[in-house]
Amino acid sequence: MEKRAEEAARRWLADQGVRRARDGWVSDDKPETLLTANQVAHSWAGDVFAEDLDPADQVRLAFGLLDLLDEYWITCEIRFANEGAEGPLPADELWDGYRQRLEADRDAEAVTYSLWVDWFEDHETSATAFAEVLGHDIDRVVVERSEALLRRARRVLECSGPVRWTVKEPSYRTAMRLPTLHAAVFRGVLASFHDVYGDLEPAAALSLLGRLDLPTDTQHLAELRHVLAAGHKNHYRSPGAWDDAVRCSAAGTPRRREQASCRPD
């Protein structure tokens, strides 16, 4: 499916006079100027949604461009079109496009970054976005356990920090049924504390951490437990709390931590 979408995008760009050349791209208008993938994305991706195509085909073509160019800007154009005068885009095609790329055995940084900053950090869209890319079928993930589904789950969990705790906690708890997802759940909770828009409930998050099977030397585990035990919800709303936790973790033994006044408040 993705390969077909990529080939369709390549043909569409060729129709616009844009083609691969050497280590970049060139246009018929300026064949002597080598363009980067980012420049191609900024110059042509928005035109996809001006094509005389069914909206679902426009979405598929845009995701094909994303496969071809691997540039975050294309996801911006997708969201602009979704929020524009002709929007919203067909939800089935929109979210299926995200799910397919989250499941693919290839780099998904542009997709996960888009979820994080464009959909999850906006509380008007985060609940819907999270449900579409994981929440609705987390039970299927833990039952089927296919590599593709697990890959999607890991990627979504790890960038889910800004999603409201009440929205994501059920999926976190379901994901905990699979030890292979425990590290991703941990990173999700860690991001929930550190992201400027992160959201968590300290007591519930601490309880969840206590049920994760993680190596005892997991980086930042001790510090995260400390700030949660002290009732802190977010790095930016509790200035200095994380630095205190780092100091206390470095203090070493329980006696030394007590001497350093490192008991949670």
Side-chain angles (χ1 to χ4, degrees):
M1 180 71 73
E2 288 177 49
K3 189 58 66 175
R4 290 200 298 270
E6 183 175 332
E7 288 305 315
R10 193 187 304 276
R11 291 193 299 271
W12 180 82
L13 277 179
D15 291 341
Q16 315 311 306
V18 181
R19 64 187 185 281
R20 288 292 304 230
R22 304 186 296 283
D23 295 325
W25 299 81
V26 294
S27 69
D28 290 346
D29 291 340
K30 295 182 179 180
E32 73 286 354
T33 302
L34 192 65
L35 302 171
T36 66
N38 185 262
Q39 289 172 317
V40 173
H42 275 78
S43 296
W44 281 277
D47 293 346
V48 166
F49 297 100
E51 285 288 322
D52 185 18
L53 295 171
D54 181 273
D57 290 330
Q58 291 177 340
V59 174
R60 284 190 285 266
L61 181 56
F63 275 110
L65 275 182
L66 179 61
D67 298 334
L68 182 64
L69 301 174
D70 193 26
E71 289 292 333
Y72 162 69
W73 181 255
I74 297 167
T75 68
C76 295
E77 293 289 359
I78 291 172
R79 183 160 187 191
F80 295 157
N82 186 65
E83 297 175 345
E86 301 299 319
L89 297 172
D92 288 347
E93 294 297 333
L94 172 64
W95 296 115
D96 192 50
Y98 273 93
R99 287 188 294 266
Q100 286 182 27
R101 278 116 196 122
L102 289 164
E103 292 177 6
D105 186 16
R106 56 182 288 179
D107 181 79
E109 184 177 358
V111 176
T112 55
Y113 187 74
S114 171
L115 282 178
W116 171 35
V117 302
D118 293 328
W119 298 97
F120 288 172
E121 286 194 344
D122 184 343
H123 284 158
E124 291 187 4
T125 61
S126 63
T128 296
F130 185 81
E132 290 287 354
V133 296
L134 186 61
H136 284 332
D137 60 356
I138 184 63
D139 289 305
R140 176 182 164 223
V141 172
V142 300
V143 170
E144 295 187 13
R145 307 184 185 190
S146 72
E147 283 303 315
L149 289 175
L150 291 172
R151 192 179 296 118
R152 167 156 61 95
R154 289 190 192 98
R155 287 167 167 171
V156 174
L157 290 167
E158 290 175 2
C159 69
S160 63
V163 179
R164 296 286 190 194
W165 183 255
T166 53
V167 171
K168 65 194 176 188
E169 183 186 16
S171 292
Y172 281 12
R173 294 194 175 278
T174 301
M176 287 168 56
R177 288 157 51 189
L178 289 182
T180 188
L181 293 179
H182 282 202
V185 173
F186 166 71
R187 286 191 283 271
V189 177
L190 185 65
S192 299
F193 180 78
H194 279 300
D195 191 283
V196 66
Y197 298 105
D199 191 63
L200 57 73
E201 290 300 326
L206 186 62
S207 172
L208 188 150
L209 283 185
R211 295 170 54 199
L212 294 178
D213 184 12
L214 300 169
T216 56
D217 61 349
T218 298
Q219 189 176 23
H220 305 311
L221 177 58
E223 293 89 344
L224 184 57
R225 282 175 171 160
H226 188 276
V227 294
L228 295 177
H232 298 295
K233 291 186 174 184
N234 183 271
H235 184 115
Y236 296 91
R237 292 195 290 273
S238 298
W242 188 260
D243 290 341
D244 288 344
V246 171
R247 173 175 56 82
C248 294
S249 178
T253 66
R255 179 174 177 79
R256 291 176 63 190
R257 286 196 293 270
E258 183 175 338
Q259 291 172 341
S261 300
C262 288
R263 293 175 178 171
D265 296 334

